[in-house]
Amino acid sequence: MAPHQPRAGSRRLAVVAAAVAASAALASGTGFAASDPVHPSTTAAAVRPATPRSAISESAIPKSAIPESATPWSAARTPGPRQAGKGVPAFGAYLDYGALGVDRIAGFSNWLGGAEVRVGHTYLPGDMWSNIEGDVGFLGAWADWRRQKSDRIFVLNVPMLEHNEAGFPDEQVRQLLRLGAAGQFDHHFRALAERLVALKVPDTVIVLGWEMNGTTYTHRCAPDPEAWKQYWNRIVTTMRSVPGQRFRFDFTPSRGRDAVPWTQCYPGDATVDIVGMDSYDQPSGLSFDEQVKEPYGLQEQVDFARAHGKSVSYPEWGLFRNGDNAAYMRGMLAWMDEHRPVYNTLTDYCPHGVWLCSGNPTSSAAYRALLASPTAQTTPTGPTTPTTPATPTRPTVPTAPPAELPAPEPGAGCVPLELGDWIEHWIGGKICTRIGGLPRT
């Protein structure tokens, strides 16, 4: 997901402190603060999901390169409130990695006046192969949620390589991609496919090797696009060989050119079911209409998908470098209204979100006005977080439209550790040491 500070061409390191905090907290049976999107694995480093970089740097897009139109796209197509009985494209939000994210879906729906949230979205950690194979304890809650209704969609981001945020140099990435293309890692993806089928979620949407056109991930494409495409095809072929599977594979670059044009990484129509795009409100000063028209932007995505006979999706989208931007929110929702993606999932933590983040009130109101159930209250209220009770390990889901999101506080008997703003941002809050026990967040 999106980085906290602008960085030109840099890679985000895996957050080691988050792994220590997550493992210790889970070992002690303690719940996480409601704003901490931490993966619940106790066996490996817990890393945050996707980190889309700015698709193009702040100054890289000359205004002359963006076509002018008499009527801006978003102004001409801003949607109105939903009408009863009118179809809404399947939507959801990224709310946390594991069971906490599942719990929050009901609260998110309540905030939208009972609107049906049909999409659940999470990420496999890319720290080690054993986690990419899919831990049953992690996937089980998502599988249970998916099976409760036949029209729900479970979306799972799957890294193509372990140590996926380790900052490997291009030469090492090139070697790993070629090993993958030769079949070195097939057994890991076969194990994942067998696990998903065994959990009775054989129709999972697999967002494989997301944001491959950037520089953040080890599974990036630029060091060897041909090897990357061969490796993608090998993974898909391996997973489709498992009896009972009905997976759909989603090819999802970041919006814009980034390190390499994403069209150069497209592995072919035979192994791609959906052409997705991760699209945040960035760079600074770029309007939504310019995001549509920029090279390798939203318009090019839908045109490319149409030419290849594919549907579109938006696995990650949300606010970012332009702050609380209701015009972006309305524009993106209108875009999806028109182009009917298979699904979309908003990234719902600060600075991107509208429910678990209190810093975007006008965007929050716009999102809620356009997606809330027709029976919902007409005056939007600010978001709040589900409250965390003292004893249970999962937070209570709010039952009424939220008010203000409180800042997480250290628990009783917990001495906070001062790690600095940067580390605390990436791990989702402070780490503190509990007197007489293990560390917790």
Side-chain angles (χ1 to χ4, degrees):
M1 292 178 182
H4 181 51
Q5 297 294 337
R7 297 173 300 138
S10 64
R11 304 181 183 93
R12 180 167 62 82
L13 297 177
V15 186
V16 177
V20 176
S23 297
L26 282 159
S28 64
T30 306
F32 293 107
S35 61
D36 300 343
V38 180
H39 178 267
S41 172
T42 61
T43 60
V47 293
R48 287 176 180 269
T51 309
R53 297 171 55 257
S54 172
I56 296 180
S57 66
E58 301 285 330
S59 59
I61 305 175
K63 297 299 181 183
S64 60
I66 301 172
E68 298 294 333
S69 61
T71 305
W73 187 94
S74 56
R77 297 168 176 82
T78 301
R82 305 287 177 176
Q83 301 299 317
K86 183 179 179 181
V88 177
F91 72 93
Y94 171 75
L95 301 170
D96 197 82
Y97 273 98
L100 178 57
V102 177
D103 287 346
R104 285 175 172 168
I105 292 174
F108 186 60
S109 173
N110 288 342
W111 177 65
L112 292 171
E116 186 174 10
V117 178
R118 290 176 49 207
V119 186
H121 185 191
T122 193
Y123 300 73
L124 290 177
D127 51 351
M128 60 181 63
W129 281 119
S130 59
N131 279 332
I132 295 174
E133 291 177 1
D135 182 78
V136 173
F138 169 55
L139 290 174
W142 291 102
D144 291 343
W145 175 86
R146 163 65 187 90
R147 293 194 306 266
Q148 288 171 13
K149 287 191 175 182
S150 61
D151 64 346
R152 286 179 173 174
I153 301 172
F154 176 41
V155 178
L156 181 65
N157 278 49
V158 175
M160 294 169 68
L161 291 166
E162 68 173 348
H163 307 305
N164 200 34
E165 296 188 52
F168 289 159
D170 283 354
E171 182 55 38
Q172 190 171 357
V173 170
R174 187 176 299 112
Q175 292 172 359
L176 290 168
L177 292 174
R178 290 175 180 177
L179 287 173
Q184 184 73 28
F185 310 126
D186 287 2
H187 58 289
H188 299 300
F189 296 97
R190 184 176 296 106
L192 172 61
E194 290 171 347
R195 186 154 289 169
L196 291 169
V197 170
L199 287 168
K200 300 181 181 179
V201 284
D203 57 354
T204 298
V205 174
I206 306 292
V207 186
L208 180 63
W210 69 100
E211 298 180 15
M212 77 298 296
N213 57 325
T215 62
T216 300
Y217 300 110
T218 305
H219 68 213
R220 63 191 182 270
C221 168
D224 193 335
E226 290 306 313
W228 192 93
K229 290 185 283 188
Q230 291 170 24
Y231 184 28
W232 163 289
N233 289 333
R234 184 141 197 144
I235 293 171
V236 173
T237 300
T238 297
M239 295 185 72
R240 285 180 176 170
S241 71
V242 172
Q245 67 79 35
R246 303 194 305 276
F247 304 128
R248 287 181 288 178
F249 290 88
D250 191 332
F251 171 81
T252 299
S254 297
R255 195 196 76 242
R257 186 185 188 282
D258 218 320
V260 63
W262 51 260
T263 52
Q264 293 183 15
C265 306
Y266 186 70
D269 294 343
T271 57
V272 171
D273 299 295
I274 302 167
V275 175
M277 183 161 280
D278 287 351
S279 183
Y280 289 85
D281 186 19
Q282 60 179 354
S284 298
L286 196 70
S287 71
F288 178 76
D289 295 290
E290 291 166 335
Q291 294 172 28
V292 170
K293 300 169 186 174
E294 69 173 321
Y296 306 102
L298 291 168
Q299 186 63 57
E300 189 154 348
Q301 176 215 10
V302 297
D303 291 345
F304 184 91
R306 186 180 300 114
H308 289 263
K310 307 298 179 183
S311 301
V312 298
S313 73
Y314 299 97
E316 289 185 35
W317 68 280
L319 303 161
F320 193 23
R321 299 195 195 277
N322 294 303
D324 183 13
N325 187 352
Y328 164 84
M329 187 62 59
R330 288 190 293 267
M332 193 69 182
L333 290 171
W335 179 262
M336 292 185 286
D337 239 16
E338 176 169 340
H339 295 288
R340 313 300 289 184
V342 175
Y343 68 92
N344 80 82
T345 42
L346 178 79
T347 299
D348 197 61
Y349 64 75
C350 287
H352 316 298
V354 295
W355 180 51
L356 290 175
C357 182
S358 62
N360 301 311
T362 65
S363 299
S364 177
Y367 184 91
R368 191 168 186 270
L370 296 171
L371 284 181
S373 167
T375 60
Q377 64 183 63
T378 56
T379 304
T381 59
T384 188
T385 179
T387 58
T388 305
T391 305
T393 59
R394 297 181 188 175
T396 301
V397 176
T399 56
E404 180 68 19
L405 181 69
E409 299 179 355
C414 182
V415 180
L417 302 178
E418 296 299 329
L419 301 176
D421 293 342
W422 187 89
I423 292 178
E424 289 174 3
H425 169 80
W426 286 117
I427 66 175
K430 289 183 178 295
I431 295 178
C432 57
T433 303
R434 190 169 53 198
I435 299 173
L438 294 169
R440 57 175 284 180
T441 53

mmCIF file of all heavy atoms in Angstrom, residues 60 123 135 208 212 270 300 329 342 378 388 412:
data_model
loop_
_atom_site.group_PDB
_atom_site.id
_atom_site.type_symbol
_atom_site.label_atom_id
_atom_site.label_comp_id
_atom_site.label_asym_id
_atom_site.label_seq_id
_atom_site.Cartn_x
_atom_site.Cartn_y
_atom_site.Cartn_z
ATOM 1 N N ALA A 60 6.923 14.476 -13.308
ATOM 2 C CA ALA A 60 7.233 13.702 -14.510
ATOM 3 C C ALA A 60 6.190 13.837 -15.608
ATOM 4 O O ALA A 60 6.428 13.438 -16.729
ATOM 5 C CB ALA A 60 7.388 12.230 -14.147
ATOM 6 N N TYR A 123 -3.965 -10.203 2.104
ATOM 7 C CA TYR A 123 -2.669 -10.430 1.462
ATOM 8 C C TYR A 123 -1.943 -11.563 2.169
ATOM 9 O O TYR A 123 -1.917 -11.615 3.405
ATOM 10 C CB TYR A 123 -1.786 -9.179 1.566
ATOM 11 C CG TYR A 123 -2.355 -7.942 0.934
ATOM 12 C CD1 TYR A 123 -3.411 -7.268 1.523
ATOM 13 C CD2 TYR A 123 -1.828 -7.437 -0.252
ATOM 14 C CE1 TYR A 123 -3.951 -6.127 0.946
ATOM 15 C CE2 TYR A 123 -2.350 -6.300 -0.837
ATOM 16 C CZ TYR A 123 -3.412 -5.646 -0.234
ATOM 17 O OH TYR A 123 -3.935 -4.511 -0.812
ATOM 18 N N ASP A 135 -1.122 -20.199 5.346
ATOM 19 C CA ASP A 135 -1.372 -20.830 6.622
ATOM 20 C C ASP A 135 -2.868 -20.991 6.858
ATOM 21 O O ASP A 135 -3.641 -20.046 6.696
ATOM 22 C CB ASP A 135 -0.759 -19.993 7.748
ATOM 23 C CG ASP A 135 -0.947 -20.619 9.107
ATOM 24 O OD1 ASP A 135 -0.214 -21.562 9.428
ATOM 25 O OD2 ASP A 135 -1.862 -20.182 9.831
ATOM 26 N N LEU A 208 -1.950 -11.889 -8.362
ATOM 27 C CA LEU A 208 -0.613 -12.486 -8.368
ATOM 28 C C LEU A 208 0.442 -11.458 -8.768
ATOM 29 O O LEU A 208 0.336 -10.823 -9.809
ATOM 30 C CB LEU A 208 -0.604 -13.663 -9.345
ATOM 31 C CG LEU A 208 0.693 -14.439 -9.519
ATOM 32 C CD1 LEU A 208 1.108 -15.115 -8.211
ATOM 33 C CD2 LEU A 208 0.532 -15.479 -10.634
ATOM 34 N N MET A 212 3.758 -5.082 -10.243
ATOM 35 C CA MET A 212 5.004 -5.597 -10.831
ATOM 36 C C MET A 212 5.747 -4.539 -11.640
ATOM 37 O O MET A 212 6.932 -4.692 -11.922
ATOM 38 C CB MET A 212 4.678 -6.811 -11.718
ATOM 39 C CG MET A 212 4.079 -6.510 -13.073
ATOM 40 S SD MET A 212 2.472 -5.664 -13.100
ATOM 41 C CE MET A 212 1.436 -6.896 -12.333
ATOM 42 N N ALA A 270 -4.159 -16.142 -22.137
ATOM 43 C CA ALA A 270 -4.483 -17.493 -21.684
ATOM 44 C C ALA A 270 -4.403 -17.634 -20.173
ATOM 45 O O ALA A 270 -5.076 -18.494 -19.591
ATOM 46 C CB ALA A 270 -3.562 -18.510 -22.354
ATOM 47 N N GLU A 300 -6.281 3.872 -20.294
ATOM 48 C CA GLU A 300 -5.511 2.854 -21.003
ATOM 49 C C GLU A 300 -5.792 1.463 -20.421
ATOM 50 O O GLU A 300 -5.821 0.467 -21.162
ATOM 51 C CB GLU A 300 -4.014 3.170 -20.942
ATOM 52 C CG GLU A 300 -3.201 2.271 -21.849
ATOM 53 C CD GLU A 300 -1.901 2.893 -22.314
ATOM 54 O OE1 GLU A 300 -1.712 4.120 -22.120
ATOM 55 O OE2 GLU A 300 -1.069 2.169 -22.878
ATOM 56 N N MET A 329 -12.743 11.199 -4.830
ATOM 57 C CA MET A 329 -13.614 10.113 -4.383
ATOM 58 C C MET A 329 -14.823 9.979 -5.304
ATOM 59 O O MET A 329 -15.171 8.873 -5.746
ATOM 60 C CB MET A 329 -14.049 10.385 -2.941
ATOM 61 C CG MET A 329 -14.810 9.263 -2.283
ATOM 62 S SD MET A 329 -13.860 7.726 -2.118
ATOM 63 C CE MET A 329 -12.455 8.272 -1.133
ATOM 64 N N VAL A 342 -15.097 -6.087 -11.880
ATOM 65 C CA VAL A 342 -15.488 -7.312 -11.180
ATOM 66 C C VAL A 342 -15.611 -7.027 -9.684
ATOM 67 O O VAL A 342 -16.525 -7.529 -9.021
ATOM 68 C CB VAL A 342 -14.454 -8.422 -11.428
ATOM 69 C CG1 VAL A 342 -14.779 -9.669 -10.605
ATOM 70 C CG2 VAL A 342 -14.385 -8.771 -12.906
ATOM 71 N N THR A 378 -29.410 10.133 5.929
ATOM 72 C CA THR A 378 -28.972 11.011 4.844
ATOM 73 C C THR A 378 -27.840 11.923 5.251
ATOM 74 O O THR A 378 -27.158 12.467 4.405
ATOM 75 C CB THR A 378 -30.153 11.877 4.356
ATOM 76 O OG1 THR A 378 -30.686 12.609 5.478
ATOM 77 C CG2 THR A 378 -31.250 10.995 3.768
ATOM 78 N N THR A 388 -12.103 -1.915 21.357
ATOM 79 C CA THR A 388 -11.435 -3.148 21.755
ATOM 80 C C THR A 388 -11.741 -3.449 23.211
ATOM 81 O O THR A 388 -11.314 -2.720 24.099
ATOM 82 C CB THR A 388 -9.916 -3.012 21.566
ATOM 83 O OG1 THR A 388 -9.642 -2.622 20.222
ATOM 84 C CG2 THR A 388 -9.219 -4.332 21.884
ATOM 85 N N ALA A 412 -3.154 -0.982 30.004
ATOM 86 C CA ALA A 412 -2.743 -0.888 31.393
ATOM 87 C C ALA A 412 -1.496 -1.724 31.631
ATOM 88 O O ALA A 412 -1.379 -2.830 31.123
ATOM 89 C CB ALA A 412 -3.885 -1.354 32.292
#
